[in-house]
Amino acid sequence: MFKFLKDVVSGSGAGVKDLPYNIGEPYSSAWGSWTHSRGTSKDDGSPVSVFSITGSNTNDGHLAAARNGVKRLRTVRHPNILSFLHSTEAEISDGSSTKVVIYIVTEPVMPLAEKIKELGLQGIQRNEYYAWGLYRIAKAVSFLNNDCKLVHGNVCLESVVVTPTLDWKLHAFDALSEFDGNNEVSTGPMLQYEWIVGSQYKPMELAKSDWATIRKSPPWAIDSWGLGCLIYEIFAGLKLTKTEELRNTASIPKSLLPDYQRLLSSMPTRRLNSSKLAENCEYFQNKLVDTIHFMEILNLKDSVEKDTFFRKLPTLAEQLPREIVLKKLLPLLASALEFGSATAPALTAFLKMGAWLSSEEFNNKVLPTIVKLFASNDRAIRVGLLQYIDQYGESFTAKLVDEQVYPHVATGFSDTSAFLRELTLKSMLVLAPKLSQRTLSGSLLKYLSKLQVDEEPAIRTNTTILLGNIASHLNEGTRKRVLINAFTVRALRDTFSSARGAGIMALCATSSYYDAQEIAARILPNIVVLTIDPDSDVRSKAFQAVEQFLQIVKQYHEKTYAGDGTEATDSGNTSLPGNASILGWAMSSLTMKGKPSEQTAQAPPKSTSPLVSAVSNASSAVSDIQTINLARSASSGVVDQYMDDQPAPVSPTSTDGWGELENGIHEDHESEKDGWDDMLPLEDEKPSPALANMQAAQKRPVIQTKPQASIPRPKSTSQVGKDADDDLWGSIAAPPPKVGAKPLNANPSATLDDDDPWAAIAAPPPTTRAKPLSAGRGRGSKPTGLKLGAQRINKAASTQKF
């Protein structure tokens, strides 16, 4: 019989040397003859609690009671009862004698008395926490008495322990026994090990060993008395030494006093059932108990109840004991968010509670949940994460962002919701500094190139602002390829005035990355035309930018003239007043409800500005083109003669717009290209009625640019037709690109880079080298046949000329 009980307790019967746990320092107090020590698992180092009891021989009565407690703890499972993990019994030699030791390994807990001192709660917060703990113990006792028909026999302060989440749990089952109420004729003891219970905790009938009265009493009679003893000890702050002390009710809260007195009734049959105490006690009706109870049965609540609860939770959390919020509510909330039982408003409360933690605790308790939530398909959860990313983004490591967070965040760049695209864009201000150069250049910039032509004006504007902010995190080669093209060819020619203003400010904020040649050839020409922009704010920014960049070029000139051999590539000298505003977002797309065309700045009817509004239909586009060509034809002879004597300025070129974007991102402009291809010959073909002009052109080594360069700049930039090579910009596009035939090795720098989304719109550096005559003025890759509209225009032009 003894061997059977030993096998039940120890499982395999292994000795203490085989115990898969390390035993640490003991606590100062424990129940009965047990020693309560801290411990850790040998496998993963997780914390545990180790209870041990030692006997002089195998027949020791305390060891027999301990074996009973181990057996009961293994078989009784309840959320409010201590969780059993492992147990073993071993014989240890101590000199000439041998001792028997029983070990029980449980979840990590600490004695209630020590935890109360550690927390040091006072006033309402103390009462709320005590109410929550007593509520849990009452539920545990009710489970034993009413559901299992068991009698614990020794409910007191020492039989309660506290978990790391501050939950109270019942243990010390050494005296636990079945309630033998049906066996009225039996005169033996119902509680076999009742002798280990202290006399101060025994009710009158148990102290007198009146087993007949005990069997006739309800199953909860003895343990209800024990609950009364527990209540006295936690509120008095003293360990009960004798039964008479229970009459001192000065420390008992008034809302709990009536139930306390009923628990300690001298008549066992009239004692309050623990289940009634948990359900009806007024003392248990407070914010903390209600909040935790709601969280524990969250799956049973409907969506309306959840939304209402989580919207109130951030305010409610400030009123609850901070320790309980962080150690109890926060883990419950994290679990609910991970498993989908919590709604999106819960994220606000979760992040607010997490902000109260230390940095180390935040990284251990909050960040893992946030990383998992980024993979959620719930759009509301993703919106919440992006809205509050500035609160936790700095805690992410670079490896975590690059490998786990960014791949999920990047899906928002192509989301159908403009609001989510904008939030994803703004989140990059926090995440981009933690991304690797491979991710920045290979993925992020491709997404930004698409967003810079987004249908929402605010998103286009904020994309430019973001590029200006993250420029310092790009390597030098990427900055050379991307920044100028993105700011000049895209931002400065946007139909939305705020986007143009953002482009100017972005150029000024990143001025230290450009050398004097780039400023003179590629930046200043694009900014100067904005000094006559229809929008006054853009004009003001343009004038300030021109002054800034001219100052940089002037400094370069002074250094060069003074004989300084080093090129003045450092332009980090002056900046626009108020340039810091580029670090702030321009606006929110929530305020831009209209279509992009509705946000377009309208030019005057006879505007000479290069930035005019896009025309909304094809008929008006044809009309404008005819007007431009008629004016051109009237003065073609004079202009041609002038162009024969002057080298043509080189304009920014574009061979194929943005091209085919990688990583599954494709431009959707095919329909626009198809609609404007028929009008290309208007730009490509120039009537040449005078043979003398042709001969004069052949005698000169300087290659002529396309006919558009021969017209005054305002007239060419006001053209409405969309070129197939630059179909994204409409009426504000740059002069059509020069793509005439030339040797393959004529300009190696013009080779397109598939990995560079801005390379296709880059402007080549100015050149005056002679090119083969075959390059000519026409487009080598375009058919030379005139379209019908162009023929009519040329005929009118020739008539007007002669």
Side-chain angles (χ1 to χ4, degrees):
M1 182 64 181
F2 171 73
K3 183 178 182 301
F4 170 76
L5 291 176
K6 184 175 180 179
D7 291 341
V8 169
V9 171
S10 61
S12 62
V16 67
K17 64 180 180 180
D18 298 323
L19 187 70
Y21 299 93
N22 298 314
I23 303 175
E25 293 294 323
Y27 290 100
S28 59
S29 62
W31 182 84
S33 301
W34 289 89
T35 299
H36 181 189
S37 304
R38 302 171 180 86
T40 57
S41 172
K42 292 181 178 178
D43 295 334
D44 56 8
S46 58
V48 296
S49 280
V50 180
F51 295 87
S52 60
I53 188 171
T54 304
S56 57
N57 57 72
T58 57
N59 296 323
D60 191 311
H62 288 281
L63 292 179
R67 295 187 188 103
N68 176 65
V70 174
K71 181 181 71 171
R72 300 294 187 178
L73 193 61
R74 293 183 64 176
T75 55
V76 177
R77 298 283 180 168
H78 188 269
N80 301 329
I81 291 177
L82 186 61
S83 297
F84 173 89
L85 297 178
H86 183 81
S87 66
T88 188
E89 182 174 341
E91 292 184 355
I92 299 177
S93 298
D94 185 13
S96 59
S97 62
T98 301
K99 294 183 179 180
V100 178
V101 184
I102 296 177
Y103 294 95
I104 303 177
V105 182
T106 69
E107 62 180 314
V109 289
M110 69 182 299
L112 175 59
E114 295 189 22
K115 176 57 69 174
I116 289 176
K117 292 180 181 178
E118 179 183 299
L119 293 176
L121 298 175
Q122 299 292 331
I124 296 177
Q125 292 191 347
R126 187 198 71 160
N127 287 335
E128 287 182 340
Y129 180 58
Y130 285 179
W132 170 243
L134 288 172
Y135 175 82
R136 292 182 62 90
I137 298 302
K139 296 290 287 185
V141 173
S142 174
F143 171 74
L144 293 175
N145 298 158
N146 299 295
D147 298 335
C148 303
K149 296 297 186 274
L150 296 173
V151 179
H152 184 279
N154 192 22
V155 178
C156 61
L157 185 65
E158 290 183 344
S159 63
V160 178
V161 288
V162 185
T163 66
T165 58
L166 301 183
D167 291 325
W168 294 13
K169 293 200 172 186
L170 186 65
H171 80 123
F173 286 178
D174 294 14
L176 188 72
S177 177
E178 289 82 2
F179 177 70
D180 195 13
N182 296 327
N183 190 2
E184 297 181 358
V185 297
S186 177
T187 57
M190 187 180 72
L191 301 178
Q192 183 178 0
Y193 303 104
E194 56 86 18
W195 53 269
I196 63 176
V197 178
S199 59
Q200 70 271 29
Y201 299 115
K202 291 182 178 181
M204 188 64 64
E205 65 276 13
L206 184 59
K208 295 179 178 179
S209 299
D210 188 355
W211 300 112
T213 302
I214 293 174
R215 288 187 171 91
K216 292 178 181 179
S217 302
W220 60 82
I222 294 177
D223 290 339
S224 291
W225 181 277
L227 274 175
C229 297
L230 173 63
I231 291 173
Y232 173 83
E233 288 183 317
I234 64 171
F235 284 104
L238 301 171
K239 185 176 179 180
L240 185 65
T241 56
K242 54 185 178 179
T243 306
E244 289 74 15
E245 292 177 355
L246 296 172
R247 298 180 181 276
N248 184 6
T249 61
S251 60
I252 308 298
K254 292 182 178 180
S255 58
L256 184 59
L257 184 57
D259 294 319
Y260 170 77
Q261 293 173 336
R262 292 181 61 188
L263 289 171
L264 297 174
S265 175
S266 58
M267 300 180 61
T269 56
R270 299 183 62 180
R271 289 179 190 148
L272 181 63
N273 190 342
S274 54
S275 65
K276 299 295 182 182
L277 175 69
E279 294 172 4
N280 303 323
C281 182
E282 181 183 351
Y283 181 72
F284 296 154
Q285 298 174 6
N286 60 54
K287 295 177 182 178
L288 180 63
V289 175
D290 293 342
T291 301
I292 298 178
H293 182 65
F294 188 97
M295 288 294 301
E296 290 184 336
I297 59 172
L298 192 60
N299 289 329
L300 304 179
K301 303 296 183 179
D302 58 38
S303 58
V304 176
E305 290 178 307
K306 290 179 182 179
D307 283 345
T308 303
F309 172 78
F310 287 124
R311 292 185 191 281
K312 295 180 180 179
L313 187 56
T315 303
L316 184 62
E318 295 180 351
Q319 305 170 9
L320 300 177
R322 184 61 55 89
E323 287 291 326
I324 290 85
V325 169
L326 297 180
K327 295 185 177 180
K328 177 62 181 178
L329 280 181
L330 188 63
L332 286 175
L333 201 53
S335 178
L337 284 168
E338 288 182 24
F339 293 102
S341 58
T343 57
L347 188 61
T348 304
F350 180 67
L351 294 176
K352 183 172 184 176
M353 295 176 188
W356 297 336
L357 295 170
S358 64
S359 298
E360 183 178 357
E361 290 178 322
F362 184 88
N363 294 339
N364 294 332
K365 298 180 179 180
V366 177
L367 280 188
T369 300
I370 293 177
V371 173
K372 293 178 183 178
L373 291 179
F374 271 110
S376 172
N377 294 324
D378 188 343
R379 182 173 285 175
I381 292 290
R382 292 165 60 195
V383 166
L385 288 171
L386 295 176
Q387 283 179 323
Y388 299 107
I389 196 169
D390 57 328
Q391 297 183 13
Y392 59 84
E394 297 299 329
S395 300
F396 284 141
T397 62
K399 182 178 180 181
L400 188 65
V401 172
D402 205 52
E403 297 179 359
Q404 299 185 47
V405 176
Y406 175 78
H408 296 297
V409 175
T411 60
F413 285 122
S414 54
D415 197 275
T416 56
S417 169
F419 183 60
L420 189 54
R421 292 201 304 274
E422 185 183 41
L423 286 177
T424 305
L425 175 69
K426 292 182 177 182
S427 71
M428 289 300 108
L429 194 59
V430 177
L431 299 181
K434 299 178 182 293
L435 294 176
S436 64
Q437 286 297 321
R438 179 178 181 181
T439 304
L440 280 172
S441 303
S443 175
L444 178 59
L445 291 183
K446 288 182 171 62
Y447 284 117
L448 296 184
S449 70
K450 183 176 178 66
L451 290 183
Q452 215 178 9
V453 291
D454 193 270
E455 61 183 6
E456 289 289 337
I459 292 180
R460 300 198 302 269
T461 304
N462 286 333
T463 303
T464 300
I465 292 172
L466 176 66
L467 279 170
N469 277 283
I470 68 173
S472 60
H473 304 292
L474 304 175
N475 58 42
E476 184 177 359
T478 303
R479 287 197 295 262
K480 291 284 186 183
R481 295 194 309 268
V482 169
L483 294 185
I484 296 182
N485 297 329
F487 296 152
T488 60
V489 182
R490 280 283 168 83
L492 297 188
R493 303 177 185 181
D494 199 297
T495 58
F496 189 54
S497 61
S498 295
R500 300 195 295 275
I504 296 174
M505 297 182 69
L507 283 169
C508 294
T510 57
S511 60
S512 60
Y513 303 126
Y514 315 127
D515 56 35
Q517 288 77 10
E518 290 174 325
I519 293 173
R522 304 179 63 188
I523 296 178
L524 277 173
N526 287 282
I527 296 179
V528 167
V529 297
L530 297 183
T531 57
I532 55 172
D533 191 89
D535 187 272
S536 61
D537 185 60
V538 174
R539 293 197 301 270
S540 176
K541 288 183 172 66
F543 278 114
Q544 296 177 33
V546 168
E547 293 177 2
Q548 176 180 344
F549 284 111
L550 282 177
Q551 181 68 22
I552 296 173
V553 175
K554 183 179 180 181
Q555 292 176 0
Y556 169 79
H557 162 72
E558 293 173 350
K559 290 182 179 179
T560 305
Y561 186 76
D564 189 352
T566 60
E567 293 188 357
T569 58
D570 182 14
S571 57
N573 35 41
T574 60
S575 60
L576 276 177
N579 257 1
S581 61
I582 193 176
L583 300 178
W585 301 113
M587 65 204 69
S588 171
S589 59
L590 289 179
T591 63
M592 310 300 299
K593 295 301 183 183
K595 295 181 180 179
S597 60
E598 298 172 2
Q599 308 297 334
T600 303
Q602 297 298 327
K606 296 183 179 180
S607 173
T608 59
S609 169
L611 296 168
V612 295
S613 302
V615 180
S616 59
N617 54 70
S619 61
S620 61
V622 173
S623 175
D624 289 348
I625 293 174
Q626 290 176 349
T627 303
I628 294 170
N629 282 276
L630 285 173
R632 182 202 311 167
S633 62
S635 58
S636 60
V638 177
V639 174
D640 287 345
Q641 196 67 33
Y642 174 78
M643 290 302 298
D644 289 340
D645 298 329
Q646 300 292 335
V650 179
S651 60
T653 62
S654 173
T655 58
D656 61 349
W658 281 98
E660 192 74 14
L661 297 176
E662 298 181 6
N663 294 345
I665 308 174
H666 304 282
E667 294 285 10
D668 300 327
H669 298 287
E670 292 301 325
S671 61
E672 296 181 8
K673 293 173 67 176
D674 294 341
W676 293 97
D677 278 345
D678 293 342
M679 304 186 67
L680 287 175
L682 293 178
E683 300 297 329
D684 297 337
E685 295 299 329
K686 175 182 178 182
S688 304
L691 182 60
N693 292 341
M694 297 175 56
Q695 293 174 349
Q698 293 174 354
K699 294 178 181 180
R700 289 172 172 78
V702 179
I703 192 66
Q704 298 294 333
T705 58
K706 294 194 300 183
Q708 285 78 357
S710 65
I711 334 173
R713 184 176 182 87
K715 188 172 296 184
S716 66
T717 54
S718 64
Q719 175 167 337
V720 182
K722 289 190 177 180
D723 197 297
D725 293 334
D726 195 4
D727 59 272
L728 298 178
W729 304 111
S731 62
I732 61 169
K738 176 173 63 180
V739 291
K742 53 186 175 181
L744 293 178
N745 60 352
N747 187 10
S749 63
T751 304
L752 296 180
D753 186 357
D754 293 337
D755 295 331
D756 179 16
W758 278 275
I761 61 174
T767 177
T768 57
R769 290 191 301 172
K771 298 182 181 178
L773 184 61
S774 59
R777 300 188 182 189
R779 290 169 170 249
S781 60
K782 298 292 180 178
T784 59
L786 295 177
K787 299 297 181 180
L788 182 58
Q791 291 173 352
R792 287 200 299 270
I793 295 172
N794 292 336
K795 184 182 295 185
S798 62
T799 302
Q800 188 175 4
K801 183 175 182 179
F802 293 105

